[in-house]
Amino acid sequence: MNNQHWMQRDLDVLWHPCTQMKDHERLPLIPIRRGEGVWLEDFEGKRYLDAVSSWWVNVFGHANPRIGERIKRQVDQLEHVMLAGFSHQPVVELSERLVKITPPGLSRVFYADNGSSGIEVALKMSFHYWLNSGAPAKKRFVTLTNSYHGETVAAMSVGDVALFTDTYKALLLDTLKVPSPDCYLRPEGVSWEEHSRTMFAAMEHTLAEHHHEVAAVIVEPLIQGAGGMRMYHPIYLTLLREACDRYGVHLIHDEIAVGFGRTGTMFACEQAGITPDFLVLSKALTGGYLPMAAVLTTDEVYGAFYDEYATLRAFLHSHTYTGNPLACAAALATLDIFEEDGVIDANKRLATRMASATAHLADHPHVAEVRQTGMALAIEMVQDKAGKVAYPWQERRGLRVYQHALTRGALLRPLGSVVYFLPPYVISEEQIDFLADVASEGIDLATRTSVSVPVADTRYPGFRDPG
Ligand SMILES: *Cc1c(COP(=O)(O)O)cnc(C)c1O
């Protein structure tokens, strides 16, 4: 049974996520038979180096025996039990460990079964906290432009990537949008820190004016992932924490993509030396094995819900698979690896290699910037380097890099015209060099030619779309 066989059976019955299915009339779908470490292998034995950690979830490689064994032991013991009225060993142990490794003050863990649902939990909890505290007017959320927080309707409302939200505008909550501290947009000669500090003025202004009606500010700390791996300086988060305290507004950190070592520290908030009121984790939480999200919060928030049943102050929210034991087992094994292997330290060498292997691309005539925060590195392709003029999205330049990389045995899936590496932490320095070579070739190919724009194409490039 070859690739063609599985592709045909797939296309007869499936509808794929974030995909214009018509694209598959000419773009082959790649059925994967097995994975091992950084590699994915198709049904014809061709291997692809997973440079994007399978949508940012996989940190210790595919078919990792240490995670696999832990799940196998758990599956023979207890596969699932509902978490209302019941409990189990893996969920207790995981919660204890998450409280221990996250910044001081985060003492309670609530579970959901995917990132978007975790965001819904944080938004609802924040609003409900204020309601329980006698401040029902605090019901709006402040968000940054170009942010992404998931696909469910409230999570979409606090996001700002046009590709995902424009179509559904009529359904969305009314939020307050503040310009992102995105350092790609900083004036020439200005440092990341200066720019992030300057951009904070708009946030300060919004909070000063609206704090009485604001429940929380929600941010992706340090890296706006789906918005094109745009990055900013931790000073912004430090200033934001201070302002949220001053104005009596919650701070929600969406560390779904950046948590678990991606930015160079275990959690991004460590770099700002702060504790958010809500910390949302998912993706790498289970090493990329099973869907799960955790929302950590403070005694202060928890206390506002703790009362006699009849007061109806409880948080009556649940997802069926909340606290699933198999997902907890995968998360526990993942945390063991972080601890036993000194991963955060070891990653420093890999991050340095990612920088040196791609440094030459900064001189490329169609690369505006090579930027990096820890184990995330992004290369911004542009039409005009001096003016940072973006390619028209309809030209789908990133798609050419994607297609080239596949022929060379790498899975690089650009966000619009942004080529990025977000590899599993088990990648080797030689494999990083290989990715850099493939990316360089792909960028050369994608920027060399002029492209005719198909008229019928009316969408934007963006997250999960190799556009
Ligand atoms: C992926 C992601 C989400 C959504 O998580 P899902 O599990 O896909 O629902 C939310 N926020 C950020 C920052 C993400 O990267």
Side-chain angles (χ1 to χ4, degrees), residues 56 114-116 119 148-150 220 254 256-257 282-283 463-464:
W56 321 349
N114 63 78
S116 304
I119 295 296
Y148 177 86
H149 297 291
E220 290 165 273
D254 175 354
I256 290 169
S282 188
K283 291 201 165 112
F463 185 41
R464 297 177 169 179

Side-chain angles (χ1 to χ4, degrees), residues 101-221:
I101 64 171
T102 50
L106 296 170
S107 52
R108 287 282 157 185
V109 193
F110 191 97
Y111 291 93
D113 40 26
N114 63 78
S116 304
S117 301
I119 295 296
E120 302 279 335
V121 167
L123 297 174
K124 281 176 71 177
M125 264 188 192
S126 173
F127 163 78
H128 197 165
Y129 167 91
W130 294 113
L131 194 64
N132 283 353
S133 309
K138 289 170 81 69
K139 57 187 179 191
R140 295 181 81 186
F141 298 99
V142 176
T143 78
L144 296 176
T145 54
N146 195 43
S147 52
Y148 177 86
H149 297 291
E151 305 284 350
T152 51
V153 175
M156 237 188 342
S157 300
V158 291
D160 182 47
V161 179
L163 172 65
F164 313 112
T165 56
D166 267 9
T167 312
Y168 305 103
K169 239 184 191 128
L171 302 180
L172 305 184
L173 300 174
D174 170 37
T175 59
L176 292 158
K177 277 197 178 74
V178 170
S180 164
D182 178 359
C183 288
Y184 176 66
L185 305 172
R186 73 193 185 283
E188 215 181 310
V190 171
S191 72
W192 280 32
E193 179 168 358
E194 261 177 280
H195 183 67
S196 301
R197 203 183 265 283
T198 306
M199 291 307 290
F200 189 74
M203 178 63 83
E204 175 75 37
H205 183 79
T206 299
L207 288 175
E209 191 171 340
H210 293 282
H211 63 92
H212 57 279
E213 54 167 340
V214 170
V217 178
I218 179 167
V219 293
E220 290 165 273

Side-chain angles (χ1 to χ4, degrees), residues 108 125-134 250 278 297-308 311-315:
R108 287 282 157 185
M125 264 188 192
S126 173
F127 163 78
H128 197 165
Y129 167 91
W130 294 113
L131 194 64
N132 283 353
S133 309
H250 286 145
F278 297 92
T297 191
T298 60
D299 281 346
E300 163 80 16
V301 170
Y302 179 71
F305 293 79
Y306 197 88
D307 207 340
E308 297 302 330
T311 61
L312 293 179
R313 291 158 71 94
F315 190 58

Side-chain angles (χ1 to χ4, degrees), residues 307-364:
D307 207 340
E308 297 302 330
Y309 186 81
T311 61
L312 293 179
R313 291 158 71 94
F315 190 58
L316 300 180
H317 178 116
S318 62
H319 296 286
T320 309
Y321 276 98
T322 291
N324 174 257
L326 299 176
C328 289
L332 285 166
T334 300
L335 292 182
D336 282 347
I337 298 175
F338 270 107
E339 249 176 58
E340 290 163 15
D341 293 9
V343 172
I344 300 295
D345 262 351
N347 278 356
K348 289 185 181 133
R349 226 185 54 209
L350 296 175
T352 304
R353 188 63 160 245
M354 278 164 51
S356 60
T358 53
H360 65 282
L361 281 167
D363 298 326
H364 192 283

